[in-house]
């Protein structure tokens, strides 16, 4: 008989309440795609199946291109997948305001404030 170990997915958490609000309310057209990717692929330790981009601070950005485009920035921790920021992108090029938000949230990261 073959010995199989069951892979337990990492839970999805949010760095703070604002990050959860961004994910739940601000990216509604892309939320299903990003949720599926985070819960069904990344949480099991697999590589993203949609377009992604490594970012500073060991974060990764999931992308849904189009007009408008949507982004979800997350960080893989030992015990969870942490959503840092999610936003709608309307201009071409780097979005400095949202990158600054990601940087600010990472610097102020406090595990006691993570939200399920």
């Amino acid at each position: 008989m073959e010995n199989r170990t069951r892979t337990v997915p990492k839970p999805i958490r949010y760095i703070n309440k604002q990050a959860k609000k961004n994910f739940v309310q601000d990216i509604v057209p892309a939320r299903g795609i990003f949720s599926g990717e985070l819960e069904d692929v990344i949480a099991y330790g697999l590589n993203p199946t949609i377009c992604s981009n490594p970012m500073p601070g060991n974060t990764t950005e999931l992308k849904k291109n189009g007009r408008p485009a949507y982004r979800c920035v997350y960080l893989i921790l030992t015990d969870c997948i942490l959503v840092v920021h999610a936003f709608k992108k309307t201009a071409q090029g780097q979005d400095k305001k949202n990158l600054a938000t990601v940087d600010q949230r990472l610097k102020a990261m406090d595990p006691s404030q993570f939200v399920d």
Side-chain angles (χ1 to χ4, degrees):
M1 184 176 205
E2 186 177 324
N3 184 12
R4 294 183 183 199
T5 57
R6 183 171 177 239
T7 303
V8 178
K10 292 182 178 186
I12 309 301
R13 302 194 71 199
Y14 302 89
I15 199 165
N16 58 27
K17 290 178 184 177
Q18 186 61 43
K20 184 173 184 175
K21 178 186 176 287
N22 294 143
F23 190 83
V24 172
Q25 295 179 6
D26 297 348
I27 62 162
V28 172
R31 188 176 64 223
I33 294 167
F34 292 154
S35 290
E37 195 71 13
L38 290 168
E39 293 170 3
D40 298 338
V41 179
I42 298 163
Y44 284 96
L46 303 173
N47 292 324
T49 60
I50 64 173
C51 189
S52 64
N53 186 35
M55 294 181 60
N58 292 324
T59 59
T60 303
E61 175 183 59
L62 292 176
K63 300 178 178 185
K64 181 185 179 300
N65 291 322
R67 289 197 178 162
Y70 296 92
R71 303 290 188 259
C72 176
V73 180
Y74 68 93
L75 178 64
I76 299 175
L77 300 175
T78 56
D79 61 339
C80 68
I81 305 297
L82 189 65
V83 175
V84 178
H85 190 37
F87 57 96
K88 177 170 55 171
K89 187 172 186 296
T90 56
Q92 290 188 356
Q94 284 191 334
D95 190 329
K96 293 179 182 178
K97 178 184 171 202
N98 284 302
L99 291 176
T101 299
V102 169
D103 188 48
Q104 178 186 8
R105 288 180 181 175
L106 289 173
K107 285 180 181 174
M109 185 165 60
D110 178 2
S112 69
Q113 295 198 0
F114 291 174
V115 179
D116 290 325

